[in-house]
Amino acid sequence: MPAPLPVSRAARDLPESISRVNQRQELVHITLDTPTPGRRGQREWQQCADLLAHPDGLATWREVAAEWLLAEYGEAPHQTVAAGVRSWYLQVPAYLATLLFHHERRVPSLRPEDLSFRIAARGKPEPAGIAVANRAFACLPDDPAAGSSEAFVVDSEDRLVQLLRARYVAHAARFVRAYQPTVRFGARNLWGAATDALDVGMWRAGKQNGDEGAGVTDAELLLRDCSGPFTSASTLHPATDEHGRLGWTRRKESCCFHYMLSEGKGPCRTCPRVIPPL
């Protein structure tokens, strides 16, 4: 397991937290404040609030996703394209929230007005960068920054979890309202994807840090005693692979529709079309 990263008493703010979590992961680069224009060859930043207020931007993203699928597979089924954009968008607030909670026990603003992202310029058009425009965050009483003007202190870990869920649900609900009229998905499908994004985010945070079990524990904590709009508690559970090695797997709450591509593979082994609800 990597050694704990040092926390400077002179640098206790959200920028320092973001710097530390960026050292723990390479999936999406996270930055603070208003993002600068992309370098040549990079895609432009998009504010989440603007995208949700003008869903034509989501349609444009689906066009980019369709072009990528055509290049990769020679076809781009509507449901596969729509499912890709659905899950990639929800990754933005979910990944940011789970990283900062797992590593820092901090919860940033997840308001669409405070988050921006840009998608990868090459390959799969998923988010490659996330920017946070608000330096405020919630934390626990023993956080080194608990006395700062940017910190909102809650009295227990359970309260911090509740706040994370509430902030994420508020963002996801705005996405569901904007996206659902443009695709052939019901609310259950979209909230299943929102549940997946949190569960996978915590699991990934643990794996990236060399302690998969800690990520599983935090996923269970985050989705414990959850009811609507989340579609389940964490579905992570121990499993033995084909070589007899014990590890972790999960049942997805939403389908990626990759089985619609003419590869003849059928649904994933963890798809809700294959595995009944736990």
Side-chain angles (χ1 to χ4, degrees):
M1 181 190 306
L5 296 174
V7 180
S8 167
R9 293 186 62 83
R12 302 168 172 173
D13 53 9
L14 193 60
E16 182 69 12
S17 275
I18 288 173
S19 176
R20 286 193 295 271
V21 299
N22 274 330
Q23 295 177 59
R24 304 281 195 185
Q25 59 87 36
E26 298 179 349
L27 182 66
V28 179
H29 182 72
I30 302 169
T31 187
L32 194 76
D33 298 325
T34 303
T36 57
R39 297 189 300 271
R40 186 173 181 179
Q42 290 184 331
R43 297 190 188 274
E44 293 301 316
W45 289 93
Q46 301 180 79
Q47 188 196 53
C48 290
D50 286 344
L51 195 61
L52 299 183
H54 305 96
D56 286 351
L58 292 167
T60 300
W61 194 358
R62 289 200 299 273
E63 291 172 5
V64 173
E67 291 172 2
W68 174 74
L69 280 170
L70 282 168
E72 286 288 307
Y73 301 98
E75 56 186 325
H78 171 81
Q79 294 292 79
T80 309
V81 171
V85 170
R86 171 206 65 189
S87 297
W88 294 330
Y89 180 91
L90 289 165
Q91 177 184 314
V92 173
Y95 192 59
L96 175 68
T98 53
L99 275 177
L100 284 170
F101 180 85
H102 180 73
H103 295 303
E104 302 281 304
R105 282 309 192 254
R106 290 179 172 180
V107 177
S109 172
L110 300 178
R111 296 172 65 244
E113 289 78 9
D114 292 331
L115 300 185
S116 300
F117 69 96
R118 68 174 170 217
I119 62 175
R122 298 179 183 85
K124 186 186 299 184
E126 61 188 344
I130 299 173
V132 189
N134 189 331
R135 290 171 177 259
F137 59 92
C139 64
L140 296 171
D142 61 353
D143 189 289
S148 78
S149 60
E150 295 171 345
F152 172 67
V153 179
V154 298
D155 59 11
S156 69
E157 188 172 72
D158 282 345
R159 290 287 300 276
L160 195 64
V161 166
Q162 292 169 14
L163 182 62
L164 189 160
R165 287 199 298 241
R167 289 183 176 182
Y168 177 71
V169 165
H171 189 139
R174 286 174 63 175
F175 170 73
V176 169
R177 288 195 297 271
Y179 200 54
Q180 188 172 3
T182 70
V183 294
R184 297 195 294 270
F185 291 152
R188 173 64 172 74
N189 177 294
L190 295 171
W191 282 108
T195 306
D196 284 337
L198 280 187
D199 206 16
V200 171
M202 284 298 190
W203 185 21
R204 182 178 282 143
K207 287 197 291 185
Q208 290 170 337
N209 196 39
D211 192 346
E212 187 174 8
V216 171
T217 298
D218 272 352
E220 293 173 347
L221 174 66
L222 184 57
L223 290 169
R224 184 180 62 198
D225 302 324
C226 278
S227 55
F230 294 114
T231 57
S232 78
S234 173
T235 64
L236 283 158
H237 59 276
T240 303
D241 66 15
E242 60 271 21
H243 302 292
R245 296 173 299 200
L246 184 64
W248 293 93
T249 189
R250 67 181 302 277
R251 173 194 181 272
K252 295 195 296 185
E253 286 293 294
S254 62
C255 179
C256 65
F257 292 94
H258 274 223
Y259 75 90
M260 299 184 74
L261 297 168
S262 57
E263 296 183 299
K265 293 182 179 179
C268 310
R269 290 184 301 169
T270 56
C271 182
R273 294 174 179 273
V274 175
I275 305 176
L278 298 177

